[in-house]
Amino acid sequence: MAIVSLKKLTKRYGNMEIVHGIDLDVADREFIALVGPSGCGKSTTLRMIAGLEDISGGTIEIGDRIVNDLPPRSRNISMVFQSYALYPHMTVRENLGFSLKIAGAPKEEMDRRVAEASAILGLDALLERRPSQLSGGQRQRVAMGRAIVRDPDVFLFDEPLSNLDAKLRTQMRTEIKKLHAKVKSTVIYVTHDQVEAMTLADRIVIMRDGYIEQVGTPDEVFQRPATRFVAGFIGSPPMNLQEATVDDGKVVFASGQSLPLPRRFKARVSTGDKVVFGLRPDDLYPAGHGLHSGDAADVHEVELPVTVTEPLGNETLVFADFDRRDWVSRMLNPKPLKAGDRIAMSFDLSQAHLFSAETGKSLRS
Amino acid sequence: MTAKRLSAPILLLLPAVLVLAAVVVVPLSLSFYSSFTPFRLTRPETFFTFIGLRNYRNILFDANFWWAFGRTVLLLTIALNLEMLLGLGLALLVEKASRGQRLLRTIMMFPMMFSPILVGFQFKFMFNDNIGLVNNALQSLGLTQDAIPWLIEGHLAFIAISIAEIWSSTSIFAILILAGLLAMPKEPVEAARVDGCTPWQTFRYVTWPFIMPFAYIAMTIRSLDVARAYDIVKIMTDGGPAGRTELLWTLVARTAYSDARMGVANAMAYFSILLSIVFTVYFFRKLAAARTQIGAEW
Amino acid sequence: MVMMDANASARLKRRAATVAHRVGLFLAMLFICLPGIWIVLSSLRPTVEILAKPPVWIPQQVSLDAYIAMFSGVGKGGIPVLDYFRIR
């Protein structure tokens, strides 16, 4: 149970700087997800917190204690690895109890805690097996059990679900969430899967190229992405993003097609500004087939040709050509459509985003 | 008369089988047979006198043979244990090096490039009591004024031989254990560090079980090697002084060629092979157990 | 006396480990290389220097005598080197 605080945390390999002085405060019992594309420095950051990588600059604090140079064993953390990292020569029981044995815990306490962890994770039937006799999901469960047995200050998860198949991943995701509800401790969870981050975390940290792009609750990063990158990274299917120029109350795209400038940005941009216009698939829908919030005056209708449709049963993703590019739209209550049909599309401009084309930063206040 | 024709596979294998029989099976059976005769090279007719197990019985009561046998086992024990420890240390040192690992690996294998004969000469030169490197160094450092008779005194000669043996073959342990270290997944080690292990505990509980099979492979290879140690001893002391460094195979060679008692020598040789077999079986058992333990998939 | 915090002592320990590692590696490599180096050095010295008492550690004069002798043929203190490479 502890806070974690990173200040100007930096990692360099030779002349290559991988993590550029990031600041982050994780509250006690908070579930934080570090998310970003591969190579963004999220795993390196986690490994620095764990003490598995040296830090090149800045400080790491765990529970009011600066741990910059302490070895992992002095940090009272536990970690779940992507490849499970079980000890292959030990049974599940020995794997679970290993950290307690090292710490010199008495036999009864060890048995009790292993029994607790195994009950929480449903490992009772597997205790005498070796890791090689377990399935991927079971191994992952043992790895988590090994982490919770210790009762550490902080749990670190390094892409724990990415070696599992899609179905098992969804199932384990739910289990991790339940586990956090039960165990109630600080968790830092690294993943490249934004859905995992959104569903699990109290707050999400989106990283890119060694910088933090945005920190916020799942709602915040979805509703108010701070940068063009976050807007494109969070959400599935991704937000439609297109470069445009502001011209006298209009947003003009490269092909000459235009949309009215969303009202709330009127004061923030002026004619000639280069911007990136963003609209989520949920806010672009065939007229009458979406959920729109806000003022009806903000809905702008354009007739567009359909290029492809992807029916999903309860909804259909419609790709329509606008500004010579496919824009994704989510059609609720689907009706049959085929490529080439022209339909009236509603752009819900009250939900639109504008980013500076130069800095990528959001232009909303 | 219907001659049965040989099937194609047998026909095709026949040349190889014949050659193998000529170069392996025939000499082996001849030498095995001769171990039941009083065969002397100087008196060829003795090859045909069958004396049953008398040679073997004589060996069992031959003090010289048992001394050589005991010395070989002693050398085996000392050399294997020290090589194991040193090889492990060397492998760990090299594995931990962040730069120049390729160069270090090459240097590490340096002694393996030397033939045992050359190693023998090299160490004979270094342990020379008058001009050898070892005595020169000890005297220059002021540790002693005397010329230590390395190859002349029995115990010292045995130590010198052990050192030569260890120098030349620690690399085998080091290279095999290093292979094990490099093949080993890094995550369990990291997990152990996070789980609270000191470096020593990490090694003891995680790294060591992983590399144990590799150590046993090296043990097997080396036990066979040392059990038939010959060249280094032959060059350095030739079994001397006064037979104090006589090993099994120098004794066998001496009996066979200097004393020309081929029959007895062959009996000794067959008896000695037992030693190799015992060690091989022992280490293979250990290897199999260690492999199952880490759930090795090879 | 300066109080050392946990980080400083951990840093010190790590530095000590690095130094120990380097020293160990150096000694190990020296032990491995020494016999070979010694042989090569000896081959390049005049006999007087090899037999000298007290020993001469760093070769004072480089001499190729040994190599010349080796190739100068039987009878002149050499060995029939080339004969070893002859097939018949």
Side-chain angles (χ1 to χ4, degrees):
Chain A
M1 314 299 112
I3 58 132
V4 176
S5 164
L6 313 181
K7 292 197 181 72
K8 295 263 159 277
L9 184 63
T10 308
K11 177 69 187 177
R12 270 185 302 272
Y13 289 109
N15 291 328
M16 276 266 285
E17 198 166 285
I18 308 289
V19 176
H20 311 279
I22 60 173
D23 294 293
L24 179 66
D25 283 301
V26 183
D28 188 20
R29 303 189 174 188
E30 190 176 23
F31 196 125
I32 280 268
L34 296 182
V35 65
S38 56
C40 70
K42 57 189 191 300
S43 275
T44 310
T45 306
L46 191 77
R47 292 170 57 83
M48 285 193 282
I49 299 171
L52 295 171
E53 296 276 353
D54 295 341
I55 66 174
S56 317
T59 58
I60 302 175
E61 248 177 78
I62 298 178
D64 303 328
R65 203 162 55 114
I66 292 178
V67 297
N68 284 1
D69 294 297
L70 297 186
R73 67 172 186 277
S74 318
R75 299 189 182 199
N76 197 22
I77 45 166
S78 60
M79 184 156 171
V80 179
F81 293 80
Q82 179 175 1
S83 56
Y84 323 128
L86 301 179
Y87 309 122
H89 54 291
M90 301 183 197
T91 62
V92 170
R93 182 191 298 281
E94 288 164 338
N95 262 286
L96 292 176
F98 183 67
S99 58
L100 299 173
K101 180 178 149 194
I102 290 299
K107 181 94 176 61
E108 308 84 63
E109 195 196 339
M110 211 163 109
D111 289 344
R112 183 176 55 76
R113 291 229 235 154
V114 169
E116 270 174 27
S118 123
I120 291 177
L121 290 158
L123 292 170
D124 288 338
L126 308 174
L127 283 177
E128 303 313 324
R129 298 226 198 139
R130 289 268 166 81
S132 55
Q133 300 163 305
L134 302 179
S135 70
Q138 290 168 331
R139 289 183 202 191
Q140 191 55 63
R141 237 188 290 251
V142 177
M144 291 201 296
R146 200 170 59 179
I148 62 174
V149 158
R150 300 242 339 262
D151 194 17
D153 285 343
V154 184
F155 284 101
L156 306 174
F157 287 81
D158 188 6
E159 309 219 9
L161 304 184
S162 52
N163 277 2
L164 301 177
D165 62 55
K167 194 174 162 201
L168 208 51
R169 199 179 310 163
T170 328
Q171 196 183 324
M172 291 300 291
R173 203 167 69 199
T174 320
E175 286 199 29
I176 292 180
K177 190 143 194 176
K178 281 187 201 153
L179 189 66
H180 182 238
K182 258 183 240 170
V183 180
K184 287 248 177 277
S185 61
T186 314
V187 176
I188 303 180
Y189 187 104
V190 162
T191 175
H192 62 266
D193 180 354
Q194 53 100 10
V195 180
E196 237 168 67
M198 294 287 280
T199 48
L200 286 171
D202 296 327
R203 278 195 304 153
I204 297 180
V205 178
I206 295 130
M207 291 187 68
R208 179 199 184 196
D209 294 340
Y211 292 102
I212 290 181
E213 291 272 317
Q214 187 174 5
V215 182
T217 64
D219 227 32
E220 278 166 8
V221 296
F222 186 81
Q223 303 291 349
R224 289 192 294 280
T227 66
R228 175 190 175 166
F229 174 80
V230 175
F233 192 79
I234 299 288
S236 169
M239 184 189 281
N240 298 297
L241 288 163
Q242 188 70 322
E243 300 201 356
T245 314
V246 177
D247 184 12
D248 190 24
K250 280 188 296 184
V251 181
V252 183
F253 295 94
S255 67
Q257 277 174 294
S258 66
L259 290 170
L261 185 63
R263 275 191 295 169
R264 59 176 174 180
F265 291 104
K266 283 211 164 105
R268 315 272 315 161
V269 291
S270 46
T271 298
D273 284 358
K274 300 259 183 238
V275 295
V276 175
F277 178 86
L279 195 64
R280 292 212 181 269
D282 311 71
D283 305 317
L284 168 65
Y285 44 84
H289 283 272
L291 295 172
H292 110 92
S293 40
D295 203 332
D298 284 322
V299 179
H300 181 76
E301 273 188 29
V302 185
E303 201 182 68
L304 297 175
V306 173
T307 55
V308 181
T309 60
E310 290 180 354
L312 298 168
N314 58 336
E315 62 183 37
T316 296
L317 299 182
V318 179
F319 293 77
D321 182 65
F322 181 67
D323 185 36
R324 297 204 197 100
R325 192 178 144 266
D326 281 345
W327 288 55
V328 193
S329 119
R330 203 195 288 274
M331 173 164 68
L332 302 177
N333 247 332
K335 65 169 189 184
L337 272 182
K338 57 182 194 298
D341 288 354
R342 292 185 73 85
I343 55 166
M345 297 292 269
S346 302
F347 286 74
D348 184 351
L349 296 177
S350 68
Q351 302 299 317
H353 301 267
L354 280 190
F355 304 96
S356 154
E358 197 186 330
T359 63
K361 291 229 178 350
S362 175
L363 291 169
R364 69 187 300 154
S365 44
Chain B
M1 194 177 99
T2 53
K4 225 175 155 190
R5 285 190 53 183
L6 289 168
S7 71
I10 292 182
L11 208 60
L12 289 169
L13 280 173
L14 210 54
V17 171
L18 284 178
V19 170
L20 273 182
V23 302
V24 177
V25 180
V26 171
L28 265 182
S29 6
L30 273 184
S31 66
F32 191 59
Y33 162 76
S34 77
S35 73
F36 298 105
T37 68
F39 181 39
R40 282 171 169 271
L41 288 175
T42 43
R43 288 170 42 210
E45 75 279 6
T46 51
F47 188 65
F48 303 102
T49 322
F50 189 79
I51 54 163
L53 288 171
R54 203 194 300 162
N55 281 335
Y56 287 92
R57 210 195 56 209
N58 285 348
I59 295 169
L60 291 182
F61 294 105
D62 180 357
N64 278 338
F65 175 78
W66 285 112
W67 272 111
F69 190 92
R71 250 181 237 118
T72 309
V73 174
L74 181 64
L75 179 67
L76 224 145
T77 317
I78 294 175
L80 249 58
N81 280 302
L82 286 179
E83 281 172 22
M84 170 72 220
L85 281 178
L86 293 172
L88 178 64
L90 189 56
L92 289 172
L93 282 173
V94 170
E95 200 255 349
K96 202 167 171 283
S98 42
R99 270 175 302 163
Q101 219 190 73
R102 199 179 281 249
L103 177 71
L104 290 172
R105 274 205 297 262
T106 313
I107 298 178
M108 193 177 88
M109 292 177 66
F110 186 50
M112 286 169 76
M113 302 168 194
F114 284 50
S115 81
I117 299 279
L118 184 53
V119 174
F121 276 118
Q122 189 177 319
F123 276 85
K124 189 178 188 176
F125 179 46
M126 295 211 313
F127 279 113
N128 184 300
D129 51 350
N130 194 24
I131 55 161
L133 171 67
V134 178
N135 273 352
N136 280 351
L138 291 178
Q139 285 161 1
S140 292
L141 292 172
L143 293 176
T144 177
Q145 287 308 311
D146 315 322
I148 299 173
W150 283 109
L151 298 173
I152 295 160
E153 200 272 323
H155 289 114
L156 290 176
F158 191 77
I159 291 171
I161 288 171
S162 308
I163 291 175
E165 195 64 56
I166 289 166
W167 179 85
S168 69
S169 301
T170 294
S171 322
I172 295 181
F173 276 89
I175 207 80
L176 279 165
I177 291 174
L178 184 63
L181 286 172
L182 295 177
M184 167 181 175
K186 294 288 162 281
E187 287 86 0
V189 171
E190 293 185 336
R193 293 177 62 198
V194 172
D195 267 351
C197 287
T198 61
W200 162 248
Q201 286 167 327
T202 311
F203 174 78
R204 165 75 185 73
Y205 294 109
V206 183
T207 314
W208 176 239
F210 258 108
I211 54 177
M212 213 151 55
F214 293 86
Y216 281 129
I217 293 175
M219 285 273 194
T220 314
I221 296 175
R222 282 296 295 156
S223 66
L224 289 175
D225 259 6
V226 181
R228 59 188 169 78
Y230 175 74
D231 345 40
I232 292 183
V233 187
K234 174 75 187 165
I235 300 298
M236 282 177 75
T237 62
D238 195 14
R244 295 292 292 277
T245 56
E246 192 84 289
L247 298 182
L248 273 180
W249 291 95
T250 54
L251 181 64
V252 170
R254 195 183 315 286
T255 315
Y257 299 110
S258 304
D259 308 352
R261 291 157 59 210
M262 216 26 132
V264 183
N266 279 331
M268 285 179 181
Y270 276 96
F271 194 86
S272 311
I273 286 171
L274 280 180
L275 183 66
S276 306
I277 293 174
V278 168
F279 272 100
T280 310
V281 169
Y282 174 72
F283 286 125
F284 258 79
R285 286 252 170 93
K286 289 280 209 184
L287 171 64
R291 277 181 49 186
T292 345
Q293 221 202 358
I294 61 159
E297 275 143 21
W298 38 272
Chain C
M1 189 188 132
V2 187
M3 276 292 284
M4 252 200 292
D5 71 351
N7 281 295
S9 83
R11 216 159 31 228
L12 204 68
K13 227 181 255 172
R14 215 160 36 185
R15 184 129 343 133
T18 313
V19 171
H21 174 241
R22 296 242 169 98
V23 171
L25 205 51
F26 176 77
L27 289 179
M29 291 298 149
L30 187 72
F31 179 71
I32 289 172
C33 292
L34 206 59
I37 293 173
W38 190 245
I39 298 293
V40 173
L41 283 183
S42 298
S43 78
L44 290 169
R45 297 166 164 214
T47 318
V48 208
E49 217 172 86
I50 294 177
L51 297 176
K53 277 281 160 187
V56 182
W57 286 108
I58 297 141
Q60 298 298 309
Q61 47 192 133
V62 176
S63 127
L64 291 174
D65 289 354
Y67 290 89
I68 294 164
M70 186 169 83
F71 285 103
S72 57
V74 190
K76 286 179 216 153
I79 50 168
V81 179
L82 293 177
D83 288 357
Y84 291 128
F85 294 94
R86 216 166 276 158
I87 293 168
R88 295 154 46 86

